[in-house]
Amino acid sequence: QVQLVESGGGLVQAGASLRLSCATSGLRFRNYAMGWFRQAPGKEREFVAAVSWGGGTTYYADSVKGRSTISRDNAKDTVYLQMNSLKPEDTAVYFCAASFYGAGSRNGVDYGYWGQGTQVTVSS
């Protein structure tokens, strides 16, 4: 069974940092690009970041570019999202997802597997 389990969310003050983790199992991790998406209350899900299957190519939403870093450890079947200088507008449930489109994608429809999400709340 394929499982993606996010962790690392929490309640932090503006300007703080968090590192989100997504541990995967049940899939050939190295065959998949990995992405992070987020959804705030009353808002549609939006793309945050993605990394190609080999880790050599990354993509970021304009809203987080320069503040966030996506990375992967293929030996641990885990993808990370380091978020710095957090802002209240970063508050959302963050989901990791796996896509067989190995180059990475900004489109949620390209991701076939999703985690349950982890809550990030940034206070002002």
Side-chain angles (χ1 to χ4, degrees), residues 19-49:
R19 189 175 80 155
L20 308 183
S21 298
C22 176
T24 72
S25 61
L27 77 168
R28 297 179 65 180
F29 182 73
R30 287 178 289 184
N31 286 355
Y32 289 82
M34 298 296 298
W36 287 94
F37 294 78
R38 67 187 183 187
Q39 187 168 22
K43 300 291 185 66
E44 296 183 357
R45 182 184 63 194
E46 66 175 349
F47 169 78
V48 178

Side-chain angles (χ1 to χ4, degrees), residues 3 6 9 11-12 22 28 34 41-42 48 50 69 71 81 88 90 114:
Q3 288 189 311
E6 302 96 331
L11 173 63
V12 298
C22 176
R28 297 179 65 180
M34 298 296 298
V48 178
T69 302
S71 61
L81 182 67
D90 294 319
W114 295 81

Side-chain angles (χ1 to χ4, degrees), residues 46-88:
E46 66 175 349
F47 169 78
V48 178
V51 59
S52 61
W53 68 273
T57 304
T58 57
Y59 307 86
Y60 297 95
D62 289 342
S63 59
V64 303
K65 190 174 184 179
R67 301 187 294 118
S68 300
T69 302
I70 186 171
S71 61
R72 65 190 296 158
D73 187 339
N74 285 351
K76 297 181 178 180
D77 295 347
T78 300
V79 64
Y80 305 94
L81 182 67
Q82 176 70 42
M83 304 182 68
N84 302 320
S85 301
L86 284 162
K87 305 174 181 179

